[in-house]
Amino acid sequence: MPTEVALLESRALRVEQMGRVDALDKVKCLVMLPDGIHVRTEDVARYFEVSTEVVKKVTHRHRVELEENGLRMLRGSDLQAFHRDMMSLWTGEGAGSYPQAATQLRLFTRRTVLNVAMLLRDSDVARCVRTYLLDAEQDLRAGYASLEYRVTRVESHLAGVGTALQELGPVLSRMSHRLDSLDRRLEATHQVVGAMSARLSGVSEDVVRLDDRMDALARDLKELNRRNKR
């Protein structure tokens, strides 16, 4: 886990954090120029609550690094073209209120401002930005560690499941064999029941015929008795 001092001293560590421009707004609102992309030296100084001279010294001392992260110096026709673009976008107090640099203009992007935050020692705001970066990285590392632990637990459980399934295989095979045997026995039972049902149906028909014969015999006996009485 890098420290604030390490971040101030190590360019490699600063490079690792350059994508975290969201840290600027987490600490304080950075007011941009009308294009929403650039800020001036004065705006950077206002954000970090230091003098413009302090920002200029940091810029001069780390010019190459800052230029790699978006720092630009405009002069001549480039400066005039930039002013025209800004004036066309200016919607504050009117185009006349847009501050125009006379001979040159140093422009910072949000990435460049974040770079300054990791270089500026004597600013409470810059210190807060660095603290946010380091705390966020620590939380991210903790999250990764927690995720790795949970994945490891899942893998261990899956290994146990695999072993259990291997042990369960023979048991399932025996159960399958017994179920097949039970199916065959049930099928045989169904056949016996079917045969018994057919035989009972025949017996029922025989009983009906027997009832008919008994009824006929009863009628014959009544007729015989009636004749004997005569």
Side-chain angles (χ1 to χ4, degrees), residues 3 6 15 41 56-57 68 70 100 103 107 109 115-116 134 147 150 162 166 173 183 185 189 197 209 216 225:
T3 63
V15 170
T41 301
K56 289 178 181 179
K57 288 180 181 179
E68 291 178 357
Q100 300 188 38
T103 58
L107 293 176
T109 64
N115 201 162
V116 172
L134 296 173
L147 179 60
R150 284 180 287 177
Q166 290 178 352
S173 178
D183 285 341
R185 292 173 63 184
T189 302
S197 177
R209 288 194 295 272
N225 287 333

Side-chain angles (χ1 to χ4, degrees), residues 177-195:
H177 178 73
R178 293 179 64 184
L179 289 173
D180 289 341
S181 176
L182 182 59
D183 285 341
R184 291 193 294 271
R185 292 173 63 184
L186 287 174
E187 181 63 25
T189 302
H190 288 159
Q191 293 176 357
V192 172
V193 170

Side-chain angles (χ1 to χ4, degrees), residues 17 24 39 43 51 97 121 145 160-161 167 173 198:
Q17 301 293 334
L24 299 173
V39 292
D43 303 318
S51 67
S97 64
R121 296 176 180 271
V161 170
E167 296 175 352
S173 178

Side-chain angles (χ1 to χ4, degrees), residues 28-100:
K28 185 180 177 182
C29 179
L30 177 63
V31 179
M32 313 295 292
L33 288 175
D35 64 353
I37 300 174
H38 299 97
V39 292
R40 303 163 303 157
T41 301
E42 295 83 350
D43 303 318
V44 176
R46 189 176 301 110
Y47 177 83
F48 288 114
E49 300 176 1
V50 296
S51 67
T52 56
E53 290 303 317
V54 171
V55 177
K56 289 178 181 179
K57 288 180 181 179
V58 172
T59 303
H60 178 74
R61 191 160 49 244
H62 301 278
R63 181 178 56 83
V64 175
E65 179 179 346
L66 293 171
E67 285 178 348
E68 291 178 357
N69 287 302
L71 180 67
R72 296 171 59 196
M73 177 69 78
L74 299 183
R75 298 182 180 88
S77 60
D78 290 337
L79 178 59
Q80 294 175 8
F82 183 81
H83 282 325
R84 286 195 300 271
D85 292 340
M86 291 302 100
M87 289 177 67
S88 67
L89 296 171
W90 193 260
T91 58
E93 302 173 0
S97 64
Y98 170 69
Q100 300 188 38

Side-chain angles (χ1 to χ4, degrees), residues 208-222:
V208 171
R209 288 194 295 272
L210 180 60
D211 286 342
D212 292 340
R213 293 178 64 184
M214 292 296 291
D215 290 340
L217 180 60
R219 289 193 298 270
D220 292 341
L221 289 175
K222 287 182 179 180

